[in-house]
Structures are given as C-alpha cells and as structure tokens.
Amino acid sequence: MTQPRQRPGTACVHAGEARARAHDAVTVPIVQTATYAFRDTAELVECQAGRLERDEYGRYGNPTVRALEDKVAALEQAEAALAFASGMAAVTTAILALVGSGSHVVLFSDCYRQTRQFVTNTLSRFGVAHTLVPGGDLEALSRALRPETRLVVSEAPTNPYQTVLDLDRLTELTRPRRVRTLVDTTFATPVNLRACALGVDLVVHSATKYLAGHNDVLCGVVAGKMSLVSLVKDLRNVLGGVCDPHAAYLVLRGIKTLGLRVARQNATAMALARRLEGDPRVRQVWYPGLASHPSHAVASRLMKGFGGVVTFELATDLEGAGRFVDALRLPRIAPSLGGVESLVEMPALMSYFELTPEARGALGIREALVRYSVGVEDPEDLLEDVDQALGTVGA
Ligand code: PLP
C-alpha cells in the first residue's frame, strides 16, 4: 500500500491501515477465519487465473495480518513486509529462502544464539557452509567472503554487548559481490534504526519484543525489497509459520505506541547507563549511547536513539550478581526485552546456563553480567531501585 511518507510516530498509528473499514470500526478488525468462501465457481476461476486478487486460505494471507505487514513495511521504509508466528520463524524462513545447497553464509558470532544454531547445526546438514566471524569485525567479514557466499547475517545492536555494525560499510562490501544481507534489528526497532533505508536487503525483528511491546504475544516480521520478500513469502506459505490474526492484532495495537514507548525507553536506558558507569560496584557498562562503547561513533551516525537495553558487569561474582538481581524490586527476572515491564536477566544463568564458566568465558559471557531491559515505568523509580540493589554489591 502506498501512502504519503509519515514521521515514525504518525506511521505507528496510521500506516498500513485502510481508512474504510468493515462496520466503520476505528481499529483494524480481527478477521478470525481459516479460509475464505467463493461466491460461485466463476469467482474461483477468476482467482485461480490470477485475474482477481483476494484471500483464499489462511496460510496464504489474512486482512488483519496484512495490516500489520503494511504498517511494518511503512515503518521500515521497505517495499514489503511479512509477519510470522515468532521471531525465529521469521529468521529461519528468511535465511532458508536465500540459500541453497553448495552456498555459503557468513554469520557474526555474537548474533542471537538460536539463529547461530540454525546456521551452524541445521543448515550445515543440508549442504550450506558457513563462516563465523567475530562480532562487528568487517575486516574478518571481508576475508570470509567466497565466490559461493550468498548471505551475511548480522544483528544491530547485538545481544548482550550491543555492537552496532557499520551497515554502510557492510553493504559496500557485499553489494559488488551480489551477496545478500539480513540484519536483525530487534534491539533497535524501526524508530531507532531503519536498516532497509541504509541498503540492507532484509530486516528481521522478533516482534515479540518492542513492536508488540507488552510481553504478551510471540510474532516475527521480515521487511525488504518486494522481490526478496516474495521469495520468503513463497517459502512461508509452504513451511507454515504464519502469524495468527489475534497475534497480529495485538502487535498492531502495540505498534500504535511504539514511538512513545521507544522514546521513553531510550531516555531511561541512557539515564541508567550513565548512572551505572563510574560506580565502583560496576566493572563495565555496554550501552551504545555511552562514549565509552566501542560502537558509539557508528551508532551515533546510524541510529536515532540507542535503545532500551543496558548491559553491565558488576564488580562481583556470579552469586553476587544474583544477589543484586534478587534485590531489584521492579524488574521481573525473565528472558526477553522491549516490553512495557522492565525485565532483568543474567546471561550466565539464562541463555548460557548449561555451559561451564570457561565455555561461557570463551563466548565472551562473563559471570557477573546483567542485562537490563527498561520498560516504561517512571525512570526515577527504576534508578532508585537499582541504587538500593547496588547496596548488595560490595565496592
Ligand atoms: N532475534 C533476537 C535479537 C532476539 O532477541 C530473539 C528472541 O529473544 C529472536 C530473534 C527470536 O524471537 P522469538 O522469540 O520471537 O522467536
């Protein structure tokens, strides 16, 4: 759907939504149907012959899901977008659509663990080779590219250290070689970073996080050029990881306030990062908005805000960090991020629990590392809460 270009906050509310609605509803109706009836066989024939565009079966399309897809495409300034049952359904379907047996994928080693697992453990069983390069290292990427390289997979910012890859440089390296780029910008949201506009071929999001924003639904999206999105759509229609209309409605409703939420979360996370940096009970803080972060210059150039996640290492051990987390009164201990409720987790106890401290160390996961995803609570309350919990960490 082509609509006049809107600023992000306006696009969050209006983009992708038709003004004329069933029953004059102001909100997008939930079209809860698995299939669509044809008036008569003549209409069916028109549809089969491609002369009539209409919905036919739920796995191939749904009006509520399409409203979400059109809104995300507008927000990303992309030609098209697709919604999926989860972020991982989006990531895996998009990658599978772009590679084949005999091809090669380059992956940054700090990307989401299940994405890495899919490329290294699953794709390798189907004759797709891969090279892992250190997070943010474009020289290593350049060296890893081969004639058969089809795809580079990255995230911006990454989890948990929030490296922001120089996407301009990335596309300079990949474009002349006809290598596609897929970047997961879940942590950034399209409010803070529009990777398609920077020349990235496909952007993916775990919409479970900021886009939906309320910790109540799983969803994923892919956005990019129509030609590539069509490929992904063909495969989605076969693999079947489609977004349910109810889930699409919840994400659509969540996106209405995305601009407001992200503005608040950017500001709160910046305040938290500043508060933590320099405190003797904190060994290091990783937030791209801080001048001390290795990606600060790139992030300042590419991003409109630095996001709502602050990662920090406490000046203590695993147990000490656990005491800090347990002393926090506002954030809940849970995986995920980007919702209205602040969440906190220790990567050593969550995503990397089954590894030994040495194996975690080899992956760069420190024992007293804490990842704090700020919600939309009053920032003063969150900061006061962190201050009192820091009291449990000896200086
Ligand atoms: N990408 C990133 C950066 C994530 O953090 C996550 C989930 O934590 C995913 C993808 C997967 O998304 P989902 O949990 O919606 O499948």
mmCIF file of all heavy atoms in Angstrom, residues 372-393:
data_model
loop_
_atom_site.group_PDB
_atom_site.id
_atom_site.type_symbol
_atom_site.label_atom_id
_atom_site.label_comp_id
_atom_site.label_asym_id
_atom_site.label_seq_id
_atom_site.Cartn_x
_atom_site.Cartn_y
_atom_site.Cartn_z
ATOM 1 N N TYR A 372 19.681 -5.568 31.454
ATOM 2 C CA TYR A 372 18.500 -4.887 31.995
ATOM 3 C C TYR A 372 17.749 -4.253 30.831
ATOM 4 O O TYR A 372 18.281 -3.394 30.135
ATOM 5 C CB TYR A 372 18.969 -3.816 32.992
ATOM 6 C CG TYR A 372 17.891 -3.237 33.886
ATOM 7 C CD1 TYR A 372 17.998 -3.301 35.277
ATOM 8 C CD2 TYR A 372 16.779 -2.605 33.356
ATOM 9 C CE1 TYR A 372 17.025 -2.764 36.110
ATOM 10 C CE2 TYR A 372 15.799 -2.068 34.174
ATOM 11 C CZ TYR A 372 15.929 -2.152 35.548
ATOM 12 O OH TYR A 372 14.956 -1.615 36.350
ATOM 13 N N SER A 373 16.505 -4.713 30.618
ATOM 14 C CA SER A 373 15.667 -4.124 29.572
ATOM 15 C C SER A 373 14.683 -3.184 30.253
ATOM 16 O O SER A 373 13.809 -3.641 31.003
ATOM 17 C CB SER A 373 14.913 -5.232 28.836
ATOM 18 O OG SER A 373 13.819 -4.695 28.119
ATOM 19 N N VAL A 374 14.830 -1.883 30.013
ATOM 20 C CA VAL A 374 13.952 -0.952 30.729
ATOM 21 C C VAL A 374 12.569 -0.946 30.087
ATOM 22 O O VAL A 374 12.415 -1.037 28.876
ATOM 23 C CB VAL A 374 14.525 0.488 30.790
ATOM 24 C CG1 VAL A 374 15.907 0.506 31.413
ATOM 25 C CG2 VAL A 374 14.540 1.154 29.424
ATOM 26 N N GLY A 375 11.570 -0.848 30.937
ATOM 27 C CA GLY A 375 10.194 -0.714 30.472
ATOM 28 C C GLY A 375 9.818 0.752 30.397
ATOM 29 O O GLY A 375 10.676 1.604 30.144
ATOM 30 N N VAL A 376 8.539 1.030 30.643
ATOM 31 C CA VAL A 376 8.096 2.435 30.546
ATOM 32 C C VAL A 376 7.727 3.000 31.925
ATOM 33 O O VAL A 376 7.033 4.003 32.017
ATOM 34 C CB VAL A 376 6.907 2.581 29.565
ATOM 35 C CG1 VAL A 376 7.313 2.150 28.161
ATOM 36 C CG2 VAL A 376 5.682 1.790 30.022
ATOM 37 N N GLU A 377 8.210 2.346 32.962
ATOM 38 C CA GLU A 377 7.963 2.865 34.305
ATOM 39 C C GLU A 377 8.631 4.242 34.455
ATOM 40 O O GLU A 377 9.465 4.629 33.644
ATOM 41 C CB GLU A 377 8.551 1.914 35.367
ATOM 42 C CG GLU A 377 7.995 0.483 35.343
ATOM 43 C CD GLU A 377 8.810 -0.475 34.479
ATOM 44 O OE1 GLU A 377 9.553 -0.018 33.571
ATOM 45 O OE2 GLU A 377 8.698 -1.694 34.684
ATOM 46 N N ASP A 378 8.288 4.954 35.518
ATOM 47 C CA ASP A 378 8.953 6.235 35.753
ATOM 48 C C ASP A 378 10.439 5.984 35.962
ATOM 49 O O ASP A 378 10.825 5.158 36.805
ATOM 50 C CB ASP A 378 8.362 6.934 36.983
ATOM 51 C CG ASP A 378 7.048 7.612 36.632
ATOM 52 O OD1 ASP A 378 7.020 8.372 35.653
ATOM 53 O OD2 ASP A 378 6.047 7.330 37.319
ATOM 54 N N PRO A 379 11.284 6.676 35.204
ATOM 55 C CA PRO A 379 12.709 6.397 35.274
ATOM 56 C C PRO A 379 13.282 6.562 36.679
ATOM 57 O O PRO A 379 14.142 5.786 37.101
ATOM 58 C CB PRO A 379 13.348 7.396 34.298
ATOM 59 C CG PRO A 379 12.249 8.216 33.736
ATOM 60 C CD PRO A 379 10.942 7.653 34.174
ATOM 61 N N GLU A 380 12.776 7.552 37.426
ATOM 62 C CA GLU A 380 13.313 7.784 38.777
ATOM 63 C C GLU A 380 13.108 6.545 39.649
ATOM 64 O O GLU A 380 13.973 6.192 40.447
ATOM 65 C CB GLU A 380 12.631 8.999 39.443
ATOM 66 C CG GLU A 380 12.867 10.327 38.749
ATOM 67 C CD GLU A 380 12.000 10.541 37.505
ATOM 68 O OE1 GLU A 380 11.109 9.698 37.233
ATOM 69 O OE2 GLU A 380 12.231 11.522 36.779
ATOM 70 N N ASP A 381 11.954 5.900 39.502
ATOM 71 C CA ASP A 381 11.681 4.701 40.311
ATOM 72 C C ASP A 381 12.656 3.586 39.944
ATOM 73 O O ASP A 381 13.158 2.876 40.822
ATOM 74 C CB ASP A 381 10.239 4.219 40.096
ATOM 75 C CG ASP A 381 9.237 5.133 40.791
ATOM 76 O OD1 ASP A 381 9.614 5.770 41.788
ATOM 77 O OD2 ASP A 381 8.086 5.193 40.331
ATOM 78 N N LEU A 382 12.909 3.425 38.636
ATOM 79 C CA LEU A 382 13.833 2.360 38.212
ATOM 80 C C LEU A 382 15.238 2.650 38.735
ATOM 81 O O LEU A 382 15.933 1.748 39.216
ATOM 82 C CB LEU A 382 13.847 2.240 36.680
ATOM 83 C CG LEU A 382 12.536 1.766 36.028
ATOM 84 C CD1 LEU A 382 12.678 1.725 34.508
ATOM 85 C CD2 LEU A 382 12.123 0.399 36.549
ATOM 86 N N LEU A 383 15.663 3.913 38.648
ATOM 87 C CA LEU A 383 17.021 4.263 39.086
ATOM 88 C C LEU A 383 17.166 4.104 40.601
ATOM 89 O O LEU A 383 18.181 3.595 41.087
ATOM 90 C CB LEU A 383 17.367 5.694 38.651
ATOM 91 C CG LEU A 383 17.486 5.908 37.134
ATOM 92 C CD1 LEU A 383 17.912 7.332 36.808
ATOM 93 C CD2 LEU A 383 18.464 4.928 36.501
ATOM 94 N N GLU A 384 16.152 4.536 41.349
ATOM 95 C CA GLU A 384 16.207 4.371 42.807
ATOM 96 C C GLU A 384 16.287 2.889 43.174
ATOM 97 O O GLU A 384 17.006 2.486 44.094
ATOM 98 C CB GLU A 384 14.968 5.004 43.468
ATOM 99 C CG GLU A 384 15.057 6.523 43.545
ATOM 100 C CD GLU A 384 13.728 7.155 43.953
ATOM 101 O OE1 GLU A 384 12.892 6.465 44.571
ATOM 102 O OE2 GLU A 384 13.536 8.340 43.621
ATOM 103 N N ASP A 385 15.545 2.087 42.433
ATOM 104 C CA ASP A 385 15.539 0.639 42.687
ATOM 105 C C ASP A 385 16.923 0.046 42.419
ATOM 106 O O ASP A 385 17.433 -0.759 43.214
ATOM 107 C CB ASP A 385 14.480 0.002 41.771
ATOM 108 C CG ASP A 385 14.329 -1.489 42.013
ATOM 109 O OD1 ASP A 385 14.436 -1.914 43.171
ATOM 110 O OD2 ASP A 385 14.101 -2.225 41.024
ATOM 111 N N VAL A 386 17.550 0.465 41.316
ATOM 112 C CA VAL A 386 18.895 -0.032 41.001
ATOM 113 C C VAL A 386 19.869 0.420 42.092
ATOM 114 O O VAL A 386 20.708 -0.357 42.556
ATOM 115 C CB VAL A 386 19.346 0.448 39.604
ATOM 116 C CG1 VAL A 386 20.833 0.214 39.403
ATOM 117 C CG2 VAL A 386 18.549 -0.261 38.518
ATOM 118 N N ASP A 387 19.725 1.669 42.530
ATOM 119 C CA ASP A 387 20.621 2.187 43.584
ATOM 120 C C ASP A 387 20.542 1.321 44.836
ATOM 121 O O ASP A 387 21.564 0.941 45.408
ATOM 122 C CB ASP A 387 20.220 3.626 43.960
ATOM 123 C CG ASP A 387 20.838 4.638 43.006
ATOM 124 O OD1 ASP A 387 21.775 4.265 42.284
ATOM 125 O OD2 ASP A 387 20.342 5.785 42.975
ATOM 126 N N GLN A 388 19.299 0.993 45.261
ATOM 127 C CA GLN A 388 19.187 0.202 46.501
ATOM 128 C C GLN A 388 19.730 -1.203 46.270
ATOM 129 O O GLN A 388 20.374 -1.773 47.151
ATOM 130 C CB GLN A 388 17.772 0.232 47.071
ATOM 131 C CG GLN A 388 16.659 -0.405 46.256
ATOM 132 C CD GLN A 388 16.614 -1.931 46.334
ATOM 133 O OE1 GLN A 388 17.063 -2.507 47.318
ATOM 134 N NE2 GLN A 388 16.098 -2.571 45.300
ATOM 135 N N ALA A 389 19.548 -1.763 45.076
ATOM 136 C CA ALA A 389 20.053 -3.125 44.843
ATOM 137 C C ALA A 389 21.574 -3.147 44.772
ATOM 138 O O ALA A 389 22.210 -4.129 45.177
ATOM 139 C CB ALA A 389 19.444 -3.679 43.547
ATOM 140 N N LEU A 390 22.164 -2.046 44.296
ATOM 141 C CA LEU A 390 23.639 -1.990 44.248
ATOM 142 C C LEU A 390 24.232 -2.079 45.645
ATOM 143 O O LEU A 390 25.395 -2.473 45.806
ATOM 144 C CB LEU A 390 24.095 -0.698 43.552
ATOM 145 C CG LEU A 390 24.088 -0.701 42.018
ATOM 146 C CD1 LEU A 390 24.396 0.688 41.478
ATOM 147 C CD2 LEU A 390 25.063 -1.726 41.448
ATOM 148 N N GLY A 391 23.437 -1.738 46.649
ATOM 149 C CA GLY A 391 23.887 -1.836 48.032
ATOM 150 C C GLY A 391 24.279 -3.262 48.415
ATOM 151 O O GLY A 391 25.012 -3.465 49.383
ATOM 152 N N THR A 392 23.786 -4.236 47.656
ATOM 153 C CA THR A 392 24.118 -5.641 47.966
ATOM 154 C C THR A 392 25.473 -6.039 47.394
ATOM 155 O O THR A 392 25.982 -7.116 47.683
ATOM 156 C CB THR A 392 23.065 -6.602 47.380
ATOM 157 O OG1 THR A 392 23.091 -6.503 45.953
ATOM 158 C CG2 THR A 392 21.669 -6.301 47.895
ATOM 159 N N VAL A 393 26.035 -5.170 46.513
ATOM 160 C CA VAL A 393 27.314 -5.485 45.874
ATOM 161 C C VAL A 393 28.409 -4.716 46.607
ATOM 162 O O VAL A 393 28.402 -3.491 46.605
ATOM 163 C CB VAL A 393 27.297 -5.041 44.383
ATOM 164 C CG1 VAL A 393 28.617 -5.430 43.693
ATOM 165 C CG2 VAL A 393 26.122 -5.638 43.642
#
